[in-house]
Amino acid sequence: APQNPSGKDVEYSAWFDRNGTWYMTETDIPFALLPDAIKATFQQSEYARWIIDDVDMIEREKLETVYVIEVEGFDAGRETEVGLYYSTDGILIKKLIDIDNDYDYGDFIPPTLSGNIEYYIDTHYPGARILEIDKENGTTEIEIIDGNVCRELLFDRTDNWIQTKTETAYRDIPAIIQQAIANSIYASYRIDDIHVIQKAEGLSYEFELEQGDRDITILFNEEGILVSPTH
């Protein structure tokens, strides 16, 4: 394998279709060769003191390059492995807990997109960069970076848009939603993630919550009414 400036061998794995056309390469690289923006984001994260087990660069045909830092450490007293996925400009786009050591990024292999979906993205999110395409049970889920915001778009089996899901911060949600969760039976739960979900009929706010060993996802509509789970 070729040498890099750190003196460590670089390992490559490449994927080709049956016609010999390349569509993905995974390259094992040293931390030092990561883009500076990723190093800066990682070093400010809660995982900065964890042990770095592996760093991979994933290059794909027509999609954005993604970098993965695999770290090992202790979470709530339990040994845990976490995969942190970054865009080239240092945006954390995915976090996988308890990753499998044999994982080969097979779900990153890019399927082709229909013209309908490409047109929707170009029209609503011009200049967006596509990170991941996942086709499952007839639907298509696409992760994009729109400016510096990560969004998940969902399309039905006939490639019509269903929803857009965008991670947000507590400070950025409307006061009526902040009040709604404060007045709910979930007020004491720890908030893991908040997403704004945009559908044709309007917005809703999804909270991923945690209390002890219990994880729960709840959903409020724009009026601050709890619509899921129902009680």
Side-chain angles (χ1 to χ4, degrees):
Q3 293 283 324
N4 66 52
S6 73
K8 180 190 171 189
D9 287 340
V10 177
E11 296 177 6
Y12 299 92
S13 298
W15 282 258
F16 299 86
D17 66 18
R18 60 185 60 193
N19 298 317
T21 303
W22 170 82
Y23 49 76
M24 186 168 80
T25 301
E26 172 210 337
T27 307
D28 190 0
I29 64 172
F31 184 86
L33 289 188
L34 281 170
D36 289 343
I38 297 176
K39 287 188 272 194
T41 303
F42 174 75
Q43 285 159 352
Q44 292 166 10
S45 76
E46 61 187 293
Y47 300 102
R49 296 179 180 273
W50 287 36
I51 295 169
I52 297 173
D53 183 43
D54 193 29
V55 180
D56 293 320
M57 176 176 67
I58 304 171
E59 298 167 289
R60 297 158 300 162
E61 175 70 14
K62 296 182 180 178
L63 299 188
E64 283 294 298
T65 297
V66 171
Y67 295 82
V68 184
I69 304 175
E70 295 180 7
V71 293
E72 296 177 351
F74 287 88
D75 185 26
R78 187 169 68 89
E79 191 170 351
T80 305
E81 291 187 29
V82 177
L84 303 168
Y85 290 65
Y86 295 92
S87 66
T88 303
D89 43 355
I91 298 169
L92 180 66
I93 55 176
K94 182 190 290 195
K95 180 169 70 175
L96 294 183
I97 310 292
D98 288 334
I99 53 173
D100 184 346
N101 284 331
D102 297 327
Y103 178 59
D104 67 355
Y105 304 110
D107 63 356
F108 260 61
I109 294 170
T112 54
L113 280 184
S114 76
N116 280 357
I117 292 178
E118 284 190 337
Y119 179 77
Y120 184 91
I121 294 172
D122 289 345
T123 303
H124 291 84
Y125 305 105
R129 295 169 285 156
I130 298 177
L131 292 165
E132 187 173 356
I133 304 167
D134 186 22
K135 294 193 176 186
E136 195 171 336
N137 300 325
T139 61
T140 303
E141 186 176 286
I142 301 172
E143 195 167 352
I144 66 171
I145 293 182
D146 175 28
N148 62 355
V149 177
C150 201
R151 304 187 195 275
E152 293 176 11
L153 279 60
L154 185 65
F155 296 84
D156 67 17
R157 60 182 62 245
T158 55
D159 297 336
N160 292 306
W161 174 76
I162 299 173
Q163 68 176 39
T164 297
K165 190 172 178 176
T166 306
E167 189 168 352
T168 189
Y170 180 84
R171 65 179 178 272
D172 294 328
I173 62 176
I176 190 172
I177 307 298
Q178 293 179 358
Q179 197 64 47
I181 193 162
N183 292 341
S184 75
I185 62 171
Y186 304 104
S188 63
Y189 282 58
R190 185 170 77 84
I191 299 173
D192 272 345
D193 288 304
I194 307 171
H195 292 94
V196 181
I197 299 175
Q198 177 191 359
K199 293 186 176 182
E201 59 266 29
L203 300 179
S204 54
Y205 296 84
E206 179 187 78
F207 289 78
E208 293 175 19
L209 306 173
E210 183 182 305
Q211 189 177 69
D213 292 333
R214 189 174 185 216
D215 294 318
I216 188 169
T217 299
I218 65 173
L219 192 70
F220 293 97
N221 66 16
E222 285 182 274
E223 286 76 44
I225 297 168
L226 186 69
V227 291
S228 174
T230 53
H231 294 280

